[in-house]
Amino acid sequence: PLPRLERLAEAEAADVLMTRHLDADCLNMGLLYLQASSRTAEWYHKYLKWLHQHPYEREQRGANALLNFTRQTVSFSPKDLPRIKAVALDDHNEFACSRGGWLGDWSKLLFFHWVNPAETPVQWSETKVMDLSVFYEAAMTYSEDFTAHGRSFARALGAAEPGSIMASVREVLDSLRVDRAPE
């Protein structure tokens, strides 16, 4: 999705692009895009140094707090952070996530981040491994002509024939669809 990320960063004058969860208004570390500049390099260097010096903090909470995206706070914020602009990516369809679901538009899906649900069931790790195994099997045995789908894996999933290996992958992502975004 790099060309799309570059266009979004330019259109939004954003230094940082990050994904969110559909059911939460905070950034997550599923996808992190940094616009190359001395300012973002300095910010990221100070962020990583702070994170290394404070291992009890969580990287995601740190990004939210230090980018002023949420009202979350962290201990001992680094001094003199350069001001940079962070923008959240479209978590409805383009840069979707398993937490909170997605709206299911195959023509828009570019990236999918697997993450624990808000309330993690006991069998979550087994479920995640089984779901991802379906993806690996499809990747290792694919026979799909992606040129027929604009070289898009997501569009190929959207057009998957019942009973095909691609249909089994589609079923996994379809199980995470929601009818509408939470308010």
Side-chain angles (χ1 to χ4, degrees), residues 35-105:
Q35 183 78 320
S37 73
S38 58
R39 194 173 70 248
T40 55
E42 179 185 353
W43 185 93
Y44 201 59
H45 170 79
K46 288 181 177 183
Y47 164 76
L48 290 175
K49 182 177 177 182
W50 166 85
L51 188 59
H52 179 74
Q53 293 172 342
H54 302 89
Y56 51 85
E57 290 284 10
R58 187 153 181 243
E59 83 286 355
Q60 189 167 299
R61 183 176 47 242
N64 277 281
L66 300 178
L67 290 168
N68 298 311
F69 194 82
T70 65
R71 287 183 275 169
Q72 292 175 320
T73 59
V74 294
S75 60
F76 309 104
S77 294
K79 304 291 184 228
D80 303 321
L81 276 175
R83 294 191 60 82
I84 60 174
K85 181 180 177 183
V87 172
L89 296 165
D90 167 31
D91 55 346
H92 292 86
N93 286 299
E94 283 187 302
F95 300 92
C97 174
S98 59
R99 179 178 163 180
W102 69 302
L103 298 185
D105 187 338

Side-chain angles (χ1 to χ4, degrees), residues 1-173:
L2 183 59
R4 176 72 175 135
L5 292 169
E6 290 170 337
R7 286 192 307 273
L8 285 169
E10 184 176 339
E12 297 285 336
D15 300 299
V16 176
L17 300 173
M18 291 178 73
T19 53
R20 297 187 304 187
H21 307 293
L22 189 62
D23 65 349
D25 191 23
C26 64
L27 300 170
N28 77 54
M29 299 302 275
L31 187 149
L32 171 64
Y33 171 88
L34 297 170
Q35 183 78 320
S37 73
S38 58
R39 194 173 70 248
T40 55
E42 179 185 353
W43 185 93
Y44 201 59
H45 170 79
K46 288 181 177 183
Y47 164 76
L48 290 175
K49 182 177 177 182
W50 166 85
L51 188 59
H52 179 74
Q53 293 172 342
H54 302 89
Y56 51 85
E57 290 284 10
R58 187 153 181 243
E59 83 286 355
Q60 189 167 299
R61 183 176 47 242
N64 277 281
L66 300 178
L67 290 168
N68 298 311
F69 194 82
T70 65
R71 287 183 275 169
Q72 292 175 320
T73 59
V74 294
S75 60
F76 309 104
S77 294
K79 304 291 184 228
D80 303 321
L81 276 175
R83 294 191 60 82
I84 60 174
K85 181 180 177 183
V87 172
L89 296 165
D90 167 31
D91 55 346
H92 292 86
N93 286 299
E94 283 187 302
F95 300 92
C97 174
S98 59
R99 179 178 163 180
W102 69 302
L103 298 185
D105 187 338
W106 295 104
S107 69
K108 293 181 180 177
L109 181 63
L110 297 174
F111 178 87
F112 199 90
H113 173 55
W114 236 267
V115 65
N116 287 25
E119 293 183 28
T120 306
V122 173
Q123 76 283 4
W124 170 248
S125 61
E126 291 86 9
T127 301
K128 182 177 179 179
V129 168
M130 285 188 310
D131 287 349
L132 291 176
S133 294
V134 172
F135 280 82
Y136 285 120
E137 183 180 343
M140 299 308 289
T141 60
Y142 84 92
S143 59
E144 189 70 35
D145 177 13
F146 291 108
T147 58
H149 306 287
R151 299 193 186 281
S152 168
F153 184 71
R155 288 187 187 131
L157 289 175
E161 295 293 327
S164 69
I165 188 74
M166 294 296 278
S168 60
V169 174
R170 179 186 172 134
E171 289 171 14
V172 170
L173 290 177

